[in-house]
Amino acid sequence: MATKRDYYEILGVDKKASADDIKSAYRKLAMQYHPDKNKSPDAEEKFKEISESYAVLSDQNKRQQYDQFGHAGIDMRYSQEDIFRGVDFEDLFRDFGGGGRGRGSIFDIFFGGQREGPRRGSDILYELSINLEDAAFGKSIELEVPRTETCDTCHGSGAKPGTSPKECSSCHGSGQVNRTQNTPFGRFMTTSTCSTCHGAGTIIDSPCSTCHGSGNVQRRRKIEVKIPPGVDTGSRLRVTGEGEAGEKGGPTGDLYVEMNVRPHNIFTRNENDIVMEANISFTQAALGDEIIVPTLDGKAEMKIPSGTQNGQVFRLKGKGIPNLYNSGKGDELVRIKVVVPTKLTDRQKEILREFAQISGEKTKSKSIFDKVRDHI
């Protein structure tokens, strides 16, 4: 599959370009490559490319998704029809002096100029907040997802039970109307969506009382999702067929569950390793000891060798996060913090001074006996 070019590059604009700059760039390129005017073999493909770029970058929500996630952010959330929905191409082409087939030309070029038929439902993005333990061990969780579903009363037809939609008399079932217009560029056939049936090709005289003719209803559906061990913030799970209902018999979209792992009060995560800090006394650091440290699945003993330094890191193998895509687990890294006491008794101070003297260290502090002697 060929890699898609950057939308900004296609339109020749900067990523900080304003809406007016994007519109101006598109109008110029659309005039140059519209298939009604440019008969070169690659004109239609270039026109498709610049039209898709404009449809995304002219819409604030789609542009935000594209800036954050690139083409994946668009491909995961929008079908080709969704990309172009809501963009007033007819207004743009009207400025060309009628040189084109209006808004219908986009759908004609991309979707064959046929009336609106079965359409796949939109995908849903659900943001799920979980704790570090759930990310490490996995979990089955029940989500309540708001979505559109096919109406049970009319089974998606939009018509009252016992009736059926009728062919639109304005477009005779095609979903589009054509008109011829003379312009400075010549005579052009303008194809636009039928305003009577809005592209459906049919009219519903007796709408369904449940869905009011739409064929779909809004519901909140409980869906069980299995979180695999090893997910991290930004990980996405795809649940096939649990998105929005399709239109006119089209397939259902998918549900994407995006993970947000909450900060932990003890551990921080570094890829598949977890990191924590353990406090020990300076006598433990000097003489060595065995301490108990927390792990994600309980407590573990860890040996502190004599002479341990402040900031030294010890590794507990296999106590980290499972690898989401392969076998194996990360480790737990324990960073040592040697805690110096803030209050010492006179006896403790004396012992430390003796230790310093034996070690050959020079200290400026005096013992209590030296202070008494100085005052005699």
Coordinates of all heavy atoms in Angstrom, one line a residue, residues 4-71:
K4 N 0.8 7.6 2.0 CA 0.1 8.8 1.7 C 1.0 10.0 1.9 O 1.8 10.1 2.9 CB -1.2 9.0 2.5 CG -2.3 8.1 2.1 CD -3.6 8.5 2.9 CE -4.8 7.7 2.5 NZ -6.0 8.0 3.2
R5 N 0.9 11.0 1.0 CA 1.7 12.2 1.2 C 1.0 13.1 2.2 O -0.1 13.0 2.5 CB 1.7 13.0 -0.2 CG 2.6 12.3 -1.2 CD 2.4 13.1 -2.5 NE 2.9 14.5 -2.4 CZ 2.5 15.5 -3.2 NH1 1.6 15.2 -4.2 NH2 2.9 16.7 -3.0
D6 N 1.9 14.0 2.8 CA 1.4 14.9 3.8 C 0.4 15.9 3.2 O 0.6 16.5 2.1 CB 2.6 15.7 4.4 CG 2.2 16.7 5.4 OD1 1.8 16.3 6.5 OD2 2.2 17.9 5.1
Y7 N -0.8 16.1 3.9 CA -1.8 17.0 3.4 C -1.3 18.4 3.2 O -1.7 19.1 2.2 CB -3.0 17.0 4.3 CG -3.8 15.7 4.3 CD1 -4.4 15.2 5.5 CD2 -4.1 15.0 3.1 CE1 -5.2 14.0 5.5 CE2 -4.8 13.9 3.1 CZ -5.4 13.4 4.3 OH -6.1 12.2 4.3
Y8 N -0.5 18.9 4.1 CA 0.0 20.3 4.0 C 0.9 20.4 2.8 O 0.9 21.4 2.1 CB 0.8 20.7 5.3 CG -0.1 20.8 6.5 CD1 -0.2 19.8 7.4 CD2 -0.8 22.0 6.7 CE1 -1.0 19.9 8.6 CE2 -1.6 22.1 7.9 CZ -1.7 21.1 8.8 OH -2.5 21.2 9.9
E9 N 1.7 19.4 2.6 CA 2.6 19.4 1.4 C 1.8 19.4 0.1 O 2.2 20.0 -0.8 CB 3.5 18.1 1.5 CG 4.5 18.0 0.3 CD 5.2 16.7 0.3 OE1 5.3 16.0 1.4 OE2 5.8 16.3 -0.7
I10 N 0.8 18.6 0.1 CA -0.1 18.5 -1.1 C -0.6 19.9 -1.5 O -0.6 20.3 -2.7 CB -1.2 17.5 -0.9 CG1 -0.6 16.1 -0.8 CG2 -2.2 17.6 -2.1 CD1 -1.6 15.0 -0.4
L11 N -1.1 20.6 -0.5 CA -1.7 21.9 -0.8 C -0.6 23.0 -0.8 O -0.9 24.2 -1.2 CB -2.7 22.3 0.3 CG -4.0 21.4 0.4 CD1 -4.9 21.9 1.4 CD2 -4.7 21.4 -1.0
G12 N 0.6 22.7 -0.5 CA 1.7 23.7 -0.5 C 1.6 24.8 0.5 O 1.9 25.9 0.3
V13 N 1.1 24.4 1.7 CA 0.9 25.4 2.8 C 1.7 24.9 4.0 O 2.0 23.8 4.2 CB -0.6 25.6 3.2 CG1 -1.3 26.2 2.0 CG2 -1.2 24.3 3.6
D14 N 2.0 25.9 4.9 CA 2.6 25.6 6.2 C 1.7 25.0 7.2 O 0.4 25.2 7.1 CB 3.2 26.9 6.7 CG 4.1 26.6 8.0 OD1 5.2 26.2 7.8 OD2 3.6 26.8 9.1
K15 N 2.2 24.2 8.2 CA 1.3 23.6 9.2 C 0.6 24.6 10.0 O -0.4 24.3 10.7 CB 2.1 22.6 10.0 CG 2.6 21.4 9.3 CD 3.1 20.3 10.2 CE 3.4 19.0 9.4 NZ 4.0 18.0 10.3
K16 N 1.1 25.9 10.0 CA 0.4 26.9 10.8 C -0.5 27.8 9.9 O -0.9 28.8 10.4 CB 1.5 27.8 11.5 CG 2.3 27.0 12.5 CD 3.3 28.0 13.2 CE 4.2 27.2 14.2 NZ 5.2 28.1 14.9
A17 N -0.7 27.3 8.7 CA -1.5 28.1 7.8 C -3.0 28.3 8.3 O -3.5 27.5 9.0 CB -1.6 27.4 6.4
S18 N -3.5 29.5 8.0 CA -4.9 29.8 8.5 C -5.9 29.1 7.6 O -5.5 28.6 6.5 CB -5.1 31.3 8.4 OG -5.0 31.8 7.1
A19 N -7.1 29.2 8.0 CA -8.2 28.6 7.2 C -8.3 29.3 5.8 O -8.5 28.6 4.8 CB -9.5 28.7 7.9
D20 N -8.1 30.6 5.8 CA -8.2 31.3 4.5 C -7.0 30.9 3.6 O -7.2 30.8 2.4 CB -8.1 32.8 4.8 CG -9.4 33.3 5.4 OD1 -10.5 32.6 5.2 OD2 -9.4 34.4 6.0
D21 N -5.8 30.7 4.2 CA -4.7 30.3 3.4 C -4.9 28.9 2.7 O -4.6 28.7 1.6 CB -3.4 30.2 4.2 CG -3.0 31.6 4.7 OD1 -3.3 32.6 4.0 OD2 -2.2 31.7 5.7
I22 N -5.5 28.0 3.5 CA -5.8 26.6 3.0 C -6.9 26.7 1.9 O -6.7 26.0 0.9 CB -6.3 25.8 4.2 CG1 -5.1 25.5 5.2 CG2 -6.8 24.4 3.7 CD1 -5.5 24.8 6.5
K23 N -7.9 27.5 2.1 CA -8.9 27.6 1.2 C -8.4 28.2 -0.1 O -8.7 27.7 -1.2 CB -10.1 28.5 1.7 CG -11.3 28.6 0.8 CD -12.4 29.4 1.4 CE -13.6 29.6 0.5 NZ -14.7 30.3 1.2
S24 N -7.6 29.2 0.0 CA -7.0 29.9 -1.2 C -6.1 28.9 -2.0 O -6.2 28.8 -3.2 CB -6.2 31.1 -0.8 OG -5.6 31.7 -1.9
A25 N -5.3 28.1 -1.3 CA -4.4 27.1 -1.9 C -5.2 26.1 -2.7 O -4.9 25.7 -3.8 CB -3.5 26.5 -0.9
Y26 N -6.3 25.6 -2.0 CA -7.1 24.6 -2.6 C -7.8 25.1 -3.9 O -7.8 24.4 -4.9 CB -8.2 24.1 -1.7 CG -9.1 23.1 -2.3 CD1 -8.7 21.9 -2.7 CD2 -10.4 23.5 -2.6 CE1 -9.6 21.0 -3.4 CE2 -11.3 22.7 -3.3 CZ -10.9 21.4 -3.7 OH -11.7 20.6 -4.3
R27 N -8.4 26.3 -3.8 CA -9.1 26.9 -5.0 C -8.1 27.0 -6.2 O -8.5 26.6 -7.3 CB -9.6 28.3 -4.6 CG -10.8 28.2 -3.8 CD -11.0 29.5 -3.0 NE -11.1 30.7 -3.8 CZ -12.2 31.4 -3.9 NH1 -13.3 31.1 -3.3 NH2 -12.2 32.5 -4.7
K28 N -6.9 27.3 -5.9 CA -5.9 27.5 -7.0 C -5.6 26.1 -7.7 O -5.6 26.0 -8.9 CB -4.7 28.1 -6.5 CG -3.6 28.3 -7.6 CD -2.4 29.0 -6.9 CE -1.2 29.2 -8.0 NZ 0.0 29.8 -7.4
L29 N -5.4 25.1 -6.8 CA -5.0 23.8 -7.3 C -6.2 23.1 -7.9 O -6.1 22.4 -8.9 CB -4.5 23.0 -6.2 CG -3.1 23.4 -5.7 CD1 -2.7 22.6 -4.4 CD2 -2.0 23.2 -6.7
A30 N -7.4 23.3 -7.3 CA -8.6 22.7 -7.9 C -9.0 23.2 -9.3 O -9.4 22.4 -10.2 CB -9.8 22.9 -6.9
M31 N -8.8 24.5 -9.5 CA -8.9 25.1 -10.8 C -8.0 24.4 -11.8 O -8.3 24.2 -13.0 CB -8.7 26.6 -10.8 CG -8.8 27.3 -12.1 SD -10.4 27.3 -12.9 CE -11.1 28.7 -12.0
Q32 N -6.8 24.1 -11.3 CA -5.7 23.6 -12.2 C -6.0 22.1 -12.6 O -5.7 21.7 -13.7 CB -4.4 23.8 -11.6 CG -3.2 23.3 -12.4 CD -1.9 23.4 -11.7 OE1 -1.8 24.1 -10.6 NE2 -0.8 22.9 -12.3
Y33 N -6.5 21.4 -11.6 CA -6.5 19.9 -11.9 C -7.9 19.3 -12.0 O -8.1 18.1 -12.1 CB -5.8 19.2 -10.7 CG -4.3 19.4 -10.8 CD1 -3.7 20.2 -9.8 CD2 -3.5 18.8 -11.8 CE1 -2.3 20.4 -9.9 CE2 -2.2 18.9 -11.8 CZ -1.6 19.8 -10.9 OH -0.2 19.9 -10.9
H34 N -9.0 20.2 -11.9 CA -10.3 19.6 -12.0 C -10.5 18.9 -13.4 O -10.1 19.4 -14.4 CB -11.4 20.8 -12.0 CG -12.7 20.3 -11.7 ND1 -13.5 19.5 -12.6 CD2 -13.5 20.4 -10.6 CE1 -14.6 19.2 -12.1 NE2 -14.7 19.7 -10.8
P35 N -11.0 17.6 -13.3 CA -11.1 16.8 -14.5 C -11.9 17.4 -15.6 O -11.7 17.0 -16.8 CB -11.7 15.5 -14.0 CG -11.4 15.5 -12.5 CD -11.4 16.9 -12.1
D36 N -12.8 18.3 -15.3 CA -13.6 18.9 -16.4 C -12.8 19.8 -17.2 O -13.2 20.2 -18.3 CB -14.8 19.7 -15.7 CG -15.9 18.8 -15.3 OD1 -15.9 17.6 -15.7 OD2 -16.9 19.2 -14.7
K37 N -11.6 20.3 -16.7 CA -10.8 21.3 -17.4 C -9.4 20.7 -17.8 O -8.9 21.1 -18.8 CB -10.6 22.5 -16.5 CG -11.9 23.2 -16.1 CD -11.6 24.3 -15.2 CE -12.9 24.9 -14.7 NZ -12.7 26.0 -13.7
N38 N -8.9 19.8 -17.0 CA -7.6 19.3 -17.2 C -7.8 17.8 -17.7 O -8.2 16.9 -16.9 CB -6.8 19.3 -15.9 CG -5.3 19.0 -16.1 OD1 -5.0 18.1 -17.0 ND2 -4.4 19.6 -15.4
K39 N -7.4 17.5 -18.9 CA -7.6 16.2 -19.5 C -6.4 15.3 -19.4 O -6.4 14.3 -20.0 CB -8.0 16.4 -21.0 CG -9.3 17.2 -21.2 CD -10.5 16.6 -20.4 CE -11.7 17.4 -20.6 NZ -12.9 16.9 -19.7
S40 N -5.4 15.7 -18.7 CA -4.2 14.9 -18.5 C -4.5 13.6 -17.7 O -5.5 13.6 -16.9 CB -3.0 15.6 -17.8 OG -3.4 16.0 -16.5
P41 N -3.8 12.5 -18.0 CA -4.2 11.2 -17.4 C -4.2 11.2 -15.9 O -5.0 10.5 -15.2 CB -3.2 10.2 -17.9 CG -2.6 10.9 -19.2 CD -2.7 12.4 -18.9
D42 N -3.3 12.0 -15.3 CA -3.2 12.0 -13.8 C -4.0 13.1 -13.1 O -3.9 13.3 -11.9 CB -1.8 12.1 -13.4 CG -1.1 13.4 -13.9 OD1 -1.7 14.1 -14.7 OD2 0.0 13.7 -13.4
A43 N -4.8 13.9 -13.9 CA -5.5 15.1 -13.3 C -6.5 14.6 -12.3 O -6.6 15.2 -11.2 CB -6.2 15.9 -14.4
E44 N -7.2 13.6 -12.6 CA -8.3 13.1 -11.6 C -7.7 12.7 -10.3 O -8.2 13.0 -9.3 CB -9.1 12.0 -12.3 CG -10.3 11.6 -11.4 CD -11.3 10.7 -12.1 OE1 -11.6 11.0 -13.2 OE2 -11.6 9.6 -11.5
E45 N -6.6 11.9 -10.4 CA -5.9 11.5 -9.1 C -5.4 12.6 -8.3 O -5.5 12.7 -7.1 CB -4.8 10.5 -9.4 CG -5.3 9.1 -9.9 CD -6.2 8.4 -8.9 OE1 -5.9 8.5 -7.7 OE2 -7.2 7.9 -9.3
K46 N -4.8 13.6 -9.0 CA -4.3 14.8 -8.3 C -5.5 15.6 -7.7 O -5.4 16.1 -6.6 CB -3.5 15.7 -9.2 CG -2.2 15.1 -9.6 CD -1.3 16.1 -10.4 CE 0.1 15.5 -10.7 NZ 0.9 16.4 -11.5
F47 N -6.6 15.7 -8.4 CA -7.8 16.4 -7.9 C -8.3 15.7 -6.7 O -8.7 16.3 -5.7 CB -8.8 16.5 -9.0 CG -10.0 17.2 -8.6 CD1 -10.0 18.6 -8.5 CD2 -11.2 16.6 -8.3 CE1 -11.1 19.3 -8.1 CE2 -12.3 17.3 -7.8 CZ -12.3 18.7 -7.8
K48 N -8.3 14.4 -6.7 CA -8.8 13.6 -5.5 C -7.9 13.9 -4.3 O -8.3 14.1 -3.2 CB -8.7 12.1 -5.8 CG -9.8 11.6 -6.7 CD -9.7 10.1 -6.9 CE -10.8 9.5 -7.8 NZ -10.6 8.0 -7.9
E49 N -6.6 13.9 -4.6 CA -5.6 14.1 -3.5 C -5.7 15.5 -2.9 O -5.8 15.6 -1.7 CB -4.2 13.9 -4.1 CG -3.1 13.9 -3.1 CD -1.7 13.6 -3.8 OE1 -1.4 14.3 -4.7 OE2 -1.0 12.7 -3.3
I50 N -5.9 16.5 -3.7 CA -6.0 17.9 -3.1 C -7.3 18.1 -2.5 O -7.4 18.8 -1.5 CB -5.7 19.0 -4.2 CG1 -6.7 18.9 -5.3 CG2 -4.3 18.9 -4.7 CD1 -6.6 20.1 -6.3
S51 N -8.4 17.4 -3.0 CA -9.7 17.6 -2.4 C -9.8 16.9 -1.1 O -10.4 17.4 -0.1 CB -10.8 17.0 -3.4 OG -10.8 17.7 -4.6
E52 N -9.2 15.7 -0.9 CA -9.1 15.0 0.4 C -8.3 15.9 1.4 O -8.7 16.0 2.5 CB -8.5 13.7 0.2 CG -8.4 12.9 1.5 CD -7.9 11.5 1.4 OE1 -8.1 10.9 0.3 OE2 -7.2 11.0 2.3
S53 N -7.2 16.5 0.9 CA -6.4 17.3 1.8 C -7.2 18.5 2.3 O -7.2 18.8 3.5 CB -5.1 17.8 1.1 OG -4.4 16.7 0.6
Y54 N -7.9 19.1 1.4 CA -8.7 20.3 1.8 C -9.8 19.9 2.7 O -10.1 20.6 3.7 CB -9.3 21.0 0.6 CG -10.2 22.1 1.0 CD1 -9.7 23.3 1.5 CD2 -11.6 22.0 0.8 CE1 -10.5 24.4 1.8 CE2 -12.4 23.1 1.2 CZ -11.9 24.2 1.7 OH -12.7 25.3 2.1
A55 N -10.5 18.7 2.4 CA -11.6 18.3 3.3 C -11.2 18.1 4.7 O -11.9 18.3 5.7 CB -12.2 17.0 2.7
V56 N -10.0 17.6 4.9 CA -9.4 17.3 6.3 C -9.0 18.6 6.9 O -9.4 18.9 8.0 CB -8.3 16.3 6.2 CG1 -7.6 16.2 7.6 CG2 -8.8 14.9 5.8
L57 N -8.2 19.4 6.2 CA -7.5 20.6 6.8 C -8.5 21.7 7.0 O -8.3 22.6 7.8 CB -6.3 21.0 6.0 CG -5.2 20.0 5.9 CD1 -4.0 20.6 5.1 CD2 -4.7 19.5 7.2
S58 N -9.6 21.7 6.3 CA -10.6 22.8 6.4 C -11.6 22.5 7.6 O -12.4 23.4 7.9 CB -11.4 23.0 5.1 OG -12.2 21.8 4.8
D59 N -11.5 21.3 8.1 CA -12.4 21.0 9.2 C -11.6 21.0 10.5 O -10.6 20.3 10.6 CB -13.1 19.6 9.0 CG -14.0 19.2 10.1 OD1 -13.5 18.8 11.2 OD2 -15.2 19.2 9.9
Q60 N -12.0 21.8 11.5 CA -11.2 21.9 12.7 C -10.9 20.6 13.4 O -9.8 20.3 13.9 CB -11.8 22.9 13.7 CG -11.0 23.2 14.9 CD -11.6 24.3 15.8 OE1 -12.7 24.9 15.4 NE2 -11.1 24.6 16.9
N61 N -12.0 19.8 13.6 CA -11.8 18.5 14.3 C -10.9 17.5 13.5 O -10.1 16.9 14.1 CB -13.2 17.9 14.6 CG -14.0 18.7 15.5 OD1 -13.5 19.4 16.4 ND2 -15.3 18.7 15.4
K62 N -11.2 17.4 12.2 CA -10.4 16.5 11.4 C -8.9 17.0 11.4 O -8.0 16.1 11.5 CB -10.9 16.4 10.0 CG -12.3 15.8 9.9 CD -12.7 15.6 8.4 CE -14.1 15.0 8.3 NZ -15.1 16.0 8.4
R63 N -8.7 18.3 11.3 CA -7.3 18.8 11.3 C -6.6 18.5 12.6 O -5.4 18.2 12.6 CB -7.3 20.3 11.0 CG -6.0 20.9 10.8 CD -6.0 22.4 10.5 NE -4.7 23.0 10.3 CZ -4.5 24.3 10.0 NH1 -5.5 25.1 9.8 NH2 -3.3 24.7 9.8
Q64 N -7.3 18.6 13.7 CA -6.7 18.4 15.0 C -6.3 16.9 15.1 O -5.2 16.6 15.6 CB -7.7 18.7 16.1 CG -7.1 18.6 17.5 CD -8.1 19.0 18.6 OE1 -9.2 19.3 18.3 NE2 -7.6 19.0 19.8
Q65 N -7.2 16.0 14.6 CA -6.8 14.6 14.6 C -5.6 14.3 13.7 O -4.8 13.5 14.1 CB -8.0 13.8 14.1 CG -9.2 13.7 15.1 CD -8.8 12.9 16.3 OE1 -8.2 11.8 16.2 NE2 -9.2 13.4 17.5
Y66 N -5.6 14.9 12.6 CA -4.5 14.7 11.6 C -3.2 15.3 12.2 O -2.1 14.6 12.1 CB -4.8 15.4 10.3 CG -3.6 15.2 9.3 CD1 -3.3 14.0 8.7 CD2 -2.8 16.3 9.0 CE1 -2.3 13.8 7.9 CE2 -1.8 16.2 8.1 CZ -1.5 14.9 7.5 OH -0.5 14.8 6.7
D67 N -3.2 16.4 12.8 CA -2.0 17.0 13.4 C -1.4 16.2 14.5 O -0.2 16.1 14.7 CB -2.3 18.4 13.9 CG -2.5 19.4 12.8 OD1 -2.1 19.1 11.7 OD2 -3.0 20.5 13.1
Q68 N -2.3 15.5 15.3 CA -1.9 14.7 16.4 C -1.5 13.3 16.1 O -0.5 12.8 16.6 CB -3.0 14.6 17.5 CG -2.6 14.0 18.8 CD -3.7 14.1 19.8 OE1 -4.7 14.7 19.6 NE2 -3.4 13.6 21.0
F69 N -2.2 12.7 15.1 CA -2.0 11.2 14.9 C -1.6 11.0 13.4 O -1.3 9.8 13.1 CB -3.2 10.4 15.2 CG -3.7 10.5 16.6 CD1 -4.8 11.2 16.9 CD2 -2.9 10.0 17.6 CE1 -5.2 11.3 18.3 CE2 -3.3 10.1 19.0 CZ -4.5 10.8 19.3
G70 N -1.5 12.0 12.6 CA -1.2 11.8 11.2 C -2.3 11.1 10.4 O -3.5 11.2 10.8
H71 N -2.0 10.4 9.3 CA -3.1 9.7 8.5 C -3.8 8.7 9.3 O -5.0 8.4 9.1 CB -2.4 9.1 7.3 CG -2.0 10.1 6.2 ND1 -3.0 10.8 5.5 CD2 -0.8 10.5 5.8 CE1 -2.3 11.6 4.7 NE2 -1.0 11.5 4.9

